Amino acid sequence: MDLIPYVKIDNEWSLGDDVFLLAFSLMVRDRTLEDVFYDGGVKTARDLQIMFQDSVNLPVFIVEDGSLLGIAWLNGLIGSSAMAHFCLYREVVGEKSLEIGNKMIDYWFDFPGEQGKLFDVLIGMIPSFNSKAINYVQKIGFVKVGEIPFVAHHKYKNKKYPMIITYRIR
């Protein structure tokens, strides 16, 4: 399994448009697009690419044997913490999903900082309607802190949901 960061090196992005088309089409196929990007901010493959080109996001593509298994990214970096996001495709189930999640966590916790490792805490904020994601992050070691009512506005359902707060420490 390979983790391929989406970064700009010598004025060139590490992945092409075709990868974003595939990533987006797999989310549409799996019917996860509107739950992952419930705020309506990502509606096309180009939207996803533009979002990941923003320096506030640290995206990684998970690939094995030439197949895209998922994407994950960090943002909301504050001190030694960051917000973690996962989107795995339907081919990834059971132990494989846990393997990917733990590999991502190890990867992120290994980022070098000025005084040791960059991150000590990964934070998850998951809308309560996404019980699959809540269960997943708990299986990979995130601890549920609680919930905040009315924080997540699902644009496509025009409804507000509680946001479940989780964290994982090094």
Side-chain angles (χ1 to χ4, degrees):
M1 181 185 333
D2 296 310
L3 304 179
I4 304 171
Y6 184 58
V7 294
K8 200 172 201 178
I9 301 171
D10 296 328
N11 221 25
E12 293 286 326
W13 288 100
S14 57
L15 297 168
D17 296 350
D18 57 325
V19 176
F20 286 91
L21 218 51
L22 176 60
F24 183 83
S25 67
L26 291 172
M27 282 187 268
V28 170
R29 179 204 68 186
D30 293 351
R31 298 182 178 176
T32 57
L33 179 69
E34 290 182 0
D35 287 340
V36 174
F37 299 106
Y38 59 88
D39 63 351
V42 173
K43 296 183 203 96
T44 67
R46 182 68 182 138
D47 291 343
L48 181 65
Q49 188 173 24
I50 289 168
M51 182 188 101
F52 280 171
Q53 288 175 349
D54 189 325
S55 62
V56 302
N57 294 303
L58 302 173
V60 176
F61 288 70
I62 302 121
V63 177
E64 186 171 67
D65 298 327
S67 294
L68 182 60
L69 302 180
I71 55 177
W73 65 100
L74 295 179
N75 58 23
L77 284 63
I78 300 173
S80 63
S81 69
M83 305 290 293
H85 307 270
F86 301 88
C87 180
L88 303 180
Y89 301 120
R90 72 177 180 206
E91 293 81 7
V92 181
V93 295
E95 289 299 316
K96 189 62 160 183
S97 70
L98 303 180
E99 177 189 346
I100 289 171
N102 286 312
K103 186 166 184 161
M104 287 307 313
I105 290 166
D106 291 344
Y107 171 76
W108 288 327
F109 277 150
D110 201 38
F111 279 17
E114 291 179 11
Q115 299 174 349
K117 300 297 181 187
L118 185 58
F119 301 116
D120 294 315
V121 181
L122 299 176
I123 300 167
M125 293 181 63
I126 307 163
S128 63
F129 62 78
N130 198 340
S131 58
K132 187 175 180 181
I134 295 164
N135 291 335
Y136 175 69
V137 298
Q138 288 178 313
K139 285 181 182 175
I140 57 172
F142 281 72
V143 176
K144 180 179 173 183
V145 175
E147 64 181 58
I148 304 170
F150 310 116
V151 173
H153 181 256
H154 198 300
K155 179 177 180 171
Y156 303 101
K157 295 178 182 176
N158 196 26
K159 188 173 176 186
K160 293 181 181 176
Y161 293 88
M163 188 72 79
I164 307 302
I165 312 300
T166 65
Y167 72 93
R168 164 111 186 231
I169 58 174
R170 173 181 307 285

